Amino acid sequence: MKTLVANRQVTCGSSRDVLWPALADTDRLNRIMKSPALSVIPATDGAARFAMEVRLGGLKLRYFEDPFEWEAPERWRIRRRFASGPLASYAVRLVLAEAALGTTVDIAFELTPRSFLTWPLARLSLGMFARKLGRAIATIDDNLKAGADPAHGLGQSRARTGAVAQALATLEAAVPAADRELARRLAAHIKTADDAELVRIRPYDLARSWEVEPRRMLTLCLHGVVAGLLDLSWEIICPSCRSASDTVTTLAALGDEAHCQLCDISIAVDLDRAVEATVRPARAIRQVATGPFCIGGPYRTPHVLAQAILPASGTARLIAPEEPGRYRLFCRGGGTCSVEVAGGERELVEVGA
């Protein structure tokens, strides 16, 4: 079946270095596009690490998602293969190029209908998705130029004002007088911030953003849990991709070992090194949309500068970073090696299976 192709360009006023993190956060990007939440199932279908189930237009669709490929801060690409429904597959590629007054974002879409009967629906879907993604990128750029969060004004659930006030009063009574202003700031954040900012609050990241001592912020958040302002979760962090391989609500639920589906490695659950506390608004305070809306994307592993799919008995090409130094190549399953990057012209690194 012939593949349908569409191209679109969005001119943005933000610099590429500012725009890239926002467009690399594909979970938030899908929230902005009003995409539905996903049901995620581990999978071993080719390169795919997960199968997703989603409802679109009354249809329940299941697809296998290949790992994102990217070279920060220039491009990313994703391909999804549908197990059923009117589409066989689709792929999206974003390329960010520096321009005199900002950044141009070139978007390429490839969509393959399952049969000639679904061709008209495929063309309609292609145009609709192209417009939605173009508008989302323009919205992100407008928010960034205004100094706001990329998802500002979008995906906003409502907080229960009375419940927030009651929880804040309990919190203020539990913390030292010096921390009460910070407690009020935290309560205001829980009440007014967008869902995308609240679905997974990392206390140390919030402390850095607010220029607060990290332990002080962590202590305040834990008091917030007791006060009923926040719900607490414990995440098992993979040492390779540094993303959460599993999430539990109590320490008692932690086992001795976990498995990272992204990296296909086992993780020894060390409380000091592999477990992180995160919080979100308590459900009685505010019911944020938890998602997930995407399970990949460069933002999920911001320390990874480039990622490519390595075919069996094949090769993949990566552009070496501009910054000289020692870098690590990692293959799913645990294989690693070091690469020394010297100064000078950018070069391609070829990796063989």
Side-chain angles (χ1 to χ4, degrees):
M1 179 59 60
K2 183 179 179 182
T3 297
L4 298 170
V5 178
N7 295 282
R8 195 178 189 91
Q9 185 177 86
V10 182
T11 301
C12 299
S14 303
S15 70
R16 187 174 68 176
D17 288 342
V18 170
L19 194 60
W20 168 260
L23 299 188
D25 187 352
T26 49
D27 186 276
R28 182 172 295 195
L29 182 59
N30 285 343
R31 287 174 181 268
I32 294 171
M33 293 174 63
K34 308 297 184 183
S35 299
L38 304 171
S39 297
V40 183
I41 307 165
T44 55
D45 184 280
R49 303 171 189 184
F50 298 96
M52 260 67 69
E53 291 183 348
V54 63
R55 284 197 173 274
L56 288 173
L59 293 176
K60 184 177 181 180
L61 303 178
R62 182 185 177 98
Y63 64 84
F64 296 94
E65 180 169 292
D66 290 343
F68 272 75
E69 298 180 273
W70 71 81
E71 293 160 359
E74 296 177 8
R75 68 190 73 230
W76 62 250
R77 181 180 186 273
I78 183 61
R79 178 174 178 264
R80 292 163 178 164
R81 295 169 286 113
F82 289 85
S84 61
L87 306 180
S89 68
Y90 84 84
V92 184
R93 184 183 75 247
L94 262 65
V95 179
L96 285 68
E98 294 177 320
L101 298 177
T103 307
T104 58
V105 183
D106 288 302
I107 315 168
F109 306 88
E110 298 176 2
L111 191 153
T112 305
R114 190 167 298 281
S115 71
F116 287 108
L117 295 176
T118 59
W119 186 276
L121 178 60
R123 287 190 62 86
L124 180 65
S125 300
L126 184 65
M128 185 185 307
F129 186 76
R131 289 190 295 272
K132 284 180 66 177
L133 183 54
R135 287 196 298 265
I137 292 172
T139 297
I140 288 171
D141 181 48
D142 288 341
N143 283 333
L144 291 173
K145 288 185 295 185
D149 183 87
H152 176 68
L154 301 163
Q156 180 83 348
S157 60
R158 291 186 177 182
R160 296 176 59 195
T161 303
V164 173
Q166 183 176 352
L168 175 58
T170 303
L171 177 58
E172 287 185 298
V175 300
D179 287 341
R180 287 171 188 164
E181 180 59 36
L182 185 60
R184 289 190 284 270
R185 184 179 181 183
L186 178 61
H189 183 64
I190 296 302
K191 183 178 178 181
T192 62
D194 292 282
D195 283 8
E197 295 183 73
L198 301 177
V199 66
R200 180 174 179 260
I201 302 172
R202 305 174 74 183
Y204 281 11
D205 281 355
L206 189 61
R208 282 190 288 270
S209 175
W210 289 2
E211 298 181 348
V212 175
E213 198 278 320
R215 288 281 181 177
R216 182 184 175 200
M217 179 62 74
L218 176 60
T219 301
L220 179 67
C221 287
L222 293 176
H223 279 298
V225 173
V226 177
L229 181 68
L230 303 170
D231 282 340
L232 174 67
S233 295
W234 300 95
E235 296 183 347
I236 303 170
I237 306 300
C238 172
S240 179
C241 67
R242 303 181 193 173
S243 64
S245 63
D246 196 10
T247 302
V248 297
T249 56
T250 65
L251 289 175
L254 292 173
D256 295 328
E257 192 173 80
H259 181 77
C260 179
Q261 179 69 11
L262 282 173
C263 302
D264 194 22
I265 61 174
S266 296
I267 305 165
V269 179
D270 184 322
L271 191 60
D272 291 333
R273 303 180 61 184
V275 180
E276 179 181 15
T278 62
V279 294
R280 67 175 55 143
R283 290 186 63 82
I285 295 288
R286 180 173 171 180
Q287 296 190 26
V288 299
T290 58
F293 295 86
C294 185
I295 51 85
Y299 188 81
R300 180 166 179 165
T301 52
H303 64 292
V304 178
L305 301 180
Q307 179 168 291
I309 296 175
L310 180 60
S313 303
T315 60
R317 304 182 77 192
L318 302 173
I319 296 177
E322 293 181 346
E323 187 71 25
R326 174 174 289 185
Y327 294 84
R328 184 180 70 124
L329 278 174
F330 173 85
C331 290
R332 191 180 187 218
T336 64
C337 69
S338 296
V339 174
E340 292 285 347
V341 177
E345 294 294 325
R346 300 187 75 182
E347 297 182 4
L348 290 170
V349 177
E350 190 168 283
V351 183

